[in-house]
Amino acid sequence: MILKSIKTLIFCSFIICVSCKDNTPENTKKTMSDNVLIQEWTGPYDGVPAFDKMSVAAVKPAMEEAMALNLAEIDSIANNEEPPTFENTIVAMERAGKPLGRVFAYYGIMSSNVSTPEFRTVQAELAPKLSDFRSKISQNEKLFKRIKTVYEDALEHPLEDQAQRVVELTYKQFEMNGANLDAEKKKRYAEINKELSSLYTDFGNNILHDEENYITYLTEDQLGGLADGFIKSAAKIATDKGEDGKYAITNTRSSIDPFLTYSTHRELRKQVWENYYSRGDNGDEFDNNEIIVQILKLRKERVGLMGYDNYAAWRLQDRMAKTPENAMDLMMAVWPASIARVQEEVQDMQTVANELGDNITIAPWDYRYYAEKVRKKKYDLDSDEVKQYLQLDKLTEAMFFVAGELFNYNFTPVPDGSVPVFQEDVKVWEVTDKDSGKHIGLWYLDPYARQGKRSGAWATTYRSSSSFDGDTNVLASNNSNFVKPAPGEAVLVSWDDAITFFHEFGHALHFFSADVKYPTLNGGVRDYTEFQSQLLERWLSTDKVINTYLVHYKTGEPIPASLVEKIKKASTFNEGFNTTEYLASALIDMKIHLADPEHMDVDTFERETLDALGMPKELPMRHRTPQFSHVFSGEGYATAYYGYMWADVLTSDAAEAFKESEGGFYDKEVAKKLVKYLFAPRNAMDPAEAYKKFRGRDAKIEALMKDRGFPIK
């Protein structure tokens, strides 16, 4: 579940913004080429990306041209002979970089949704150039001097709230990126960033290689336990890959999860499990272990230039946790209860295996399979039965209903062909206010797994909200990896996948509801930005959604009340597995950045650290280190994967506010506060302050422990 926003924000959040209105200076516009990736967006809805016209060949020249245009804008700001002011420095920076923002919208799609070997070659060539570009801005002494002057003046003479916030965030970002270093250290800082940019690209491409090339093909006698819909999808995928008559289990989570849950062939489960959890760790040219060591060394050296002992201390200073110690304290407060629950779950599974006469000891590739049998035994709950009521189309309708109730939004499908898309399966909806009809933006949905698409689920913006140059509409996208069904078949998903679908839609609603003046304020605080989406997951379990949208895919009959009761009773089932696999990854992320990377063997470090923590041998980390893209294909979640847990404390506590209200999860007054304080401000308000305004106090961990069925001390 990642993230978030276009690569623009990842690369250069303090410079680039994307607006429906192109206020690029006229002299800059005149120099712009006719490269489609750089051109202002035209067409309906205040202009939309020309996804149907993008090409790999256009990427490199467009990126190079857009970087040059942006640097010219920055030089103009830095060399302004007028005394630095908020308007001629900060606002001018907020206005800069629109052509580059447009290029990055296409670049992000080609990187994440429709990657090809040709694009990856271009991506590798551009990585060091993008690093140089960023360094030329972050190390521009004249520019930083102006920013610092505005910042210091604002400390003495505060501006209006959003202006003050953007000044502080801009200054802090430059400071954290080495703007106060001397010339020699700045030079080394830039060199390190350049090296890292290439390593991040290599890391991600290695994982994509292993996902594309480790496919398990089954024959008809190896399909035991698998559902008809899954079998039909696997057959179609195999045929598409030139293996007609076979059944393909791809090396992605959406494919391996149902296989590991239902396949009766233990040796095949082991093979599929090992393929998935050894991505980036196969000892070949696509192995990521040495890349990780290089990344860790360079990160440590870079923050050392600024006087920090470790990367985590530098990274967390502007997060809610503030320090690695605070993040570790939260994780370790939950960890003992989590692994204790795993022991109980394994004991239950082993009992079932013994009762069935299976002469085995529970291993990692058995966990999902026997957990499903325990679920049936303890709660008489069959996950495959639940799936019959979880149709992707109806879940989409359910999300629209929730958005209407909480945010007053209406979603209307746009006619096919009226808005360009990058792949035929992508659908688009217009988002409007239910009462006024005011246009808010467009929502794109890219639901299916395919060759060249990275695994997982994520949300993206192509254009974010801002108002300093006139109101902009929002173009947001949700991206999933559901297995595409055979023609005429419904897309049925698991309960966990349905939760993830709601989660990522929560990010989209966060984008649409933003009420910020300046583009920088759309950025998120990493251990807070998952909170809003995690909170939206709760509406999947509300009676209004269950009773209206969970209907049988063949009969249309509503899900039986008895089955709903079983689902609710089993709500904390397997929570030991869910929490432990996540926390193990979060703990490794933090500990590996606190360790000395010199002479580190990554596999050994991972194993020994987990052993010291008492990691149960029956399950793996959610993301093993050699495939931990959140942390090593960029820096967005580095030492910040704990943020999901931090955000979940807020989520559980905020959910209590709805439970305690007269109208429950659809209480209008609580919903108004939710939008006003927790969604609309984005980063225009300090997250801790925003949460207090919503709840009247700080969040408490007790609600989290209660939600997970863990004992409260």
Side-chain angles (χ1 to χ4, degrees):
M1 296 172 239
I2 28 186
L3 97 75
K4 321 271 336 178
S5 162
I6 61 173
K7 297 267 185 172
T8 301
L9 296 177
I10 297 172
F11 285 125
C12 232
S13 62
F14 53 93
I15 295 298
I16 302 166
C17 62
V18 184
S19 169
C20 65
K21 299 176 182 177
D22 192 341
N23 293 293
T24 306
E26 287 302 319
N27 62 335
T28 303
K29 283 185 179 180
K30 289 174 185 176
T31 65
M32 224 179 274
S33 74
D34 59 359
N35 188 311
V36 68
L37 303 190
I38 204 170
Q39 291 298 304
E40 185 175 358
W41 296 343
T42 59
Y45 307 108
D46 295 327
V48 293
F51 286 131
D52 57 336
K53 296 179 180 178
M54 66 184 187
S55 67
V56 173
V59 173
K60 188 175 179 181
M63 190 70 79
E64 291 175 339
E65 180 181 352
M67 287 191 289
L69 290 172
N70 196 188
L71 288 175
E73 292 172 317
I74 295 304
D75 284 343
S76 178
I77 297 168
N79 293 313
N80 189 338
E81 294 182 0
E82 296 293 324
T85 66
F86 175 71
E87 287 294 329
N88 69 22
T89 302
I90 304 300
V91 172
M93 291 171 62
E94 293 293 296
R95 190 171 285 125
K98 290 181 175 64
L100 184 56
R102 292 191 289 270
V103 176
F104 267 119
Y106 297 108
Y107 186 87
I109 291 298
M110 286 193 248
S111 173
S112 298
N113 298 68
V114 290
S115 181
T116 62
E118 293 77 16
F119 173 77
R120 289 170 218 171
T121 298
V122 173
Q123 190 179 32
E125 293 172 357
L126 282 174
K129 294 185 177 185
L130 285 164
S131 180
D132 282 342
F133 162 75
R134 294 192 296 272
S135 294
K136 286 176 182 177
I137 297 174
S138 65
Q139 297 191 3
N140 187 314
E141 293 185 9
K142 289 183 179 179
L143 179 66
F144 182 61
K145 186 177 180 181
R146 293 182 69 85
I147 293 169
K148 193 171 185 178
T149 299
V150 175
Y151 170 72
E152 290 174 346
D153 185 63
L155 292 179
E156 293 186 19
H157 308 96
L159 305 167
E160 59 89 10
D161 289 347
Q162 291 208 20
Q164 186 76 10
R165 180 76 170 166
V166 77
V167 169
E168 292 171 355
L169 290 174
T170 301
Y171 174 79
K172 186 65 176 177
Q173 184 136 35
F174 272 80
E175 180 188 56
M176 287 183 65
N177 282 279
N180 281 318
L181 295 176
D182 62 34
E184 184 178 347
K185 288 183 177 179
K186 278 185 177 178
K187 181 174 181 292
R188 179 56 188 151
Y189 192 100
E191 291 170 349
I192 291 172
N193 277 346
K194 193 170 183 176
E195 292 178 60
L196 284 171
S197 68
S198 294
L199 291 170
Y200 296 154
T201 300
D202 291 344
F203 185 95
N205 286 341
N206 285 347
I207 296 172
L208 197 53
H209 170 274
D210 285 359
E211 288 177 348
E212 291 177 348
N213 289 279
Y214 284 79
I215 299 172
T216 303
Y217 289 102
L218 310 180
T219 55
E220 194 164 351
D221 61 344
Q222 295 175 318
L223 301 176
L226 302 178
D228 288 343
F230 183 83
I231 291 171
K232 290 176 181 177
S233 296
K236 185 177 187 305
I237 293 169
T239 298
D240 291 345
K241 293 182 179 295
E243 295 288 344
D244 199 25
K246 294 184 180 180
Y247 306 83
I249 308 301
T250 58
N251 205 18
T252 62
R253 196 171 192 99
S254 60
S255 189
I256 69 108
D257 266 0
F259 184 81
L260 293 175
T261 302
Y262 296 108
S263 173
T264 57
H265 294 268
R266 191 175 191 234
E267 284 305 310
L268 285 173
R269 293 202 308 267
K270 181 180 180 182
Q271 178 181 330
V272 167
W273 186 94
E274 288 179 340
N275 281 350
Y276 185 74
Y277 287 103
S278 64
R279 290 169 298 146
D281 193 27
N282 289 300
D284 55 13
E285 62 180 303
F286 303 100
D287 191 280
N288 275 331
N289 286 283
E290 184 53 39
I291 289 177
I292 292 169
V293 173
Q294 294 178 54
I295 289 172
L296 292 171
K297 287 180 179 178
L298 289 170
R299 284 177 177 172
K300 184 175 176 64
E301 180 187 354
R302 190 184 65 190
V303 301
L305 295 172
M306 295 178 285
Y308 293 91
D309 292 335
N310 57 70
Y311 180 87
W314 169 80
R315 179 70 281 171
L316 268 63
Q317 61 184 294
D318 62 346
R319 304 292 167 88
M320 288 189 78
K322 302 301 182 187
T323 68
E325 291 76 19
N326 289 339
M328 285 295 298
D329 285 347
L330 171 63
M331 291 189 283
M332 293 310 297
V334 180
W335 179 254
S338 178
I339 60 174
R341 178 59 58 82
V342 168
Q343 292 176 351
E344 296 173 10
E345 292 171 2
V346 170
Q347 186 174 10
D348 287 342
M349 290 187 288
Q350 190 65 59
T351 298
V352 167
N354 294 343
E355 289 173 352
L356 292 171
D358 298 341
N359 186 26
I360 61 109
T361 299
I362 300 296
W365 42 90
D366 299 316
Y367 208 113
R368 292 170 177 84
Y369 180 75
Y370 286 100
E372 182 59 24
K373 294 187 178 301
V374 172
R375 190 199 311 268
K376 291 179 183 178
K377 177 184 176 182
K378 286 185 115 176
Y379 303 102
D380 191 26
L381 181 61
D382 183 342
S383 293
D384 202 44
E385 180 185 2
V386 175
K387 285 179 70 172
Q388 315 308 306
Y389 298 91
L390 294 173
Q391 303 173 64
L392 187 63
D393 288 347
K394 298 299 290 185
L395 289 170
T396 304
E397 291 178 23
M399 297 192 309
F400 293 165
F401 167 74
V402 171
E405 292 293 296
L406 300 182
F407 295 84
N408 209 44
Y409 290 163
N410 190 56
F411 285 73
T412 306
V414 305
D416 287 347
S418 62
V419 172
V421 295
F422 50 84
Q423 209 274 343
E424 61 182 7
D425 293 324
V426 177
K427 301 299 179 185
V428 187
W429 286 259
E430 182 185 9
V431 187
T432 56
D433 182 82
K434 283 170 64 176
D435 295 331
S436 68
K438 177 186 175 183
H439 170 76
I440 294 167
L442 296 179
W443 183 66
Y444 296 68
L445 175 62
D446 181 18
Y448 303 127
R450 61 176 169 270
Q451 183 91 357
K453 186 178 182 181
R454 68 178 176 86
S455 61
W458 66 96
T460 301
T461 51
Y462 310 134
R463 180 163 62 222
S464 298
S465 171
S466 67
S467 62
F468 78 113
D469 262 341
D471 289 339
T472 65
N473 65 345
V474 177
L475 305 181
S477 173
N478 280 140
N479 311 271
S480 302
N481 268 280
F482 299 113
V483 176
K484 189 174 181 178
E489 296 290 324
V491 184
L492 303 179
V493 306
S494 69
W495 186 261
D496 285 347
D497 280 342
I499 288 174
T500 299
F501 198 41
F502 267 68
H503 174 104
E504 296 304 332
F505 188 62
H507 283 305
L509 291 176
H510 202 183
F511 300 145
F512 288 126
S513 60
D515 181 16
V516 300
K517 191 171 182 179
Y518 304 102
T520 288
L521 301 180
N522 275 297
V525 178
R526 187 64 68 182
D527 51 7
Y528 180 68
T529 195
E530 293 295 336
F531 155 54
Q532 289 81 359
S533 52
Q534 288 179 193
L535 184 59
L536 198 81
E537 297 171 13
R538 303 302 178 100
W539 273 265
L540 173 62
S541 301
T542 60
D543 289 341
K544 288 186 178 182
V545 167
I546 288 174
N547 295 334
T548 306
Y549 299 99
L550 272 58
V551 297
H552 197 278
Y553 79 104
K554 286 184 177 178
T555 68
E557 291 295 314
I559 187 170
S562 58
L563 185 54
V564 173
E565 186 61 26
K566 291 175 185 178
I567 292 171
K568 291 184 176 181
K569 283 184 177 179
S571 62
T572 61
F573 175 74
N574 222 30
E575 196 56 64
F577 174 89
N578 295 331
T579 305
T580 300
E581 66 153 7
Y582 156 74
L583 269 180
S585 291
L587 286 164
I588 287 289
D589 168 37
M590 189 65 70
K591 285 179 174 289
I592 205 168
H593 283 93
L594 294 172
D596 184 356
E598 201 66 35
H599 310 302
M600 177 183 286
D601 179 280
V602 173
D603 282 341
T604 300
F605 179 88
E606 177 184 291
R607 183 177 62 254
E608 291 180 349
T609 301
L610 293 177
D611 285 347
L613 287 166
M615 177 73 175
K617 67 181 184 302
E618 293 88 359
L619 74 164
M621 302 160 57
R622 181 173 296 173
H623 307 286
R624 288 200 53 241
T625 316
Q627 62 217 219
F628 208 165
S629 294
H630 292 73
V631 174
F632 295 113
S633 64
E635 298 192 34
Y637 281 88
T639 69
Y641 197 63
Y642 77 90
Y644 285 98
M645 178 66 70
W646 193 277
D648 219 5
V649 172
L650 302 175
T651 299
S652 296
D653 192 74
E656 290 290 320
F658 278 98
K659 292 175 185 176
E660 295 163 1
S661 68
E662 183 178 350
F665 277 89
Y666 294 91
D667 188 275
K668 294 299 182 183
E669 291 306 311
V670 181
K672 284 180 183 177
K673 290 172 64 179
L674 174 83
V675 176
K676 181 178 181 179
Y677 295 120
L678 302 184
F679 276 76
R682 295 290 298 179
N683 201 9
M685 185 185 301
D686 177 80
E689 178 187 349
Y691 191 82
K692 283 183 181 179
K693 285 181 178 292
F694 168 75
R695 195 70 165 105
R697 58 167 174 75
D698 291 328
K700 298 178 180 179
I701 194 175
E702 286 78 11
L704 171 79
M705 302 298 279
K706 178 182 176 183
D707 275 348
R708 299 190 178 213
F710 294 164
I712 300 173
K713 294 181 179 180

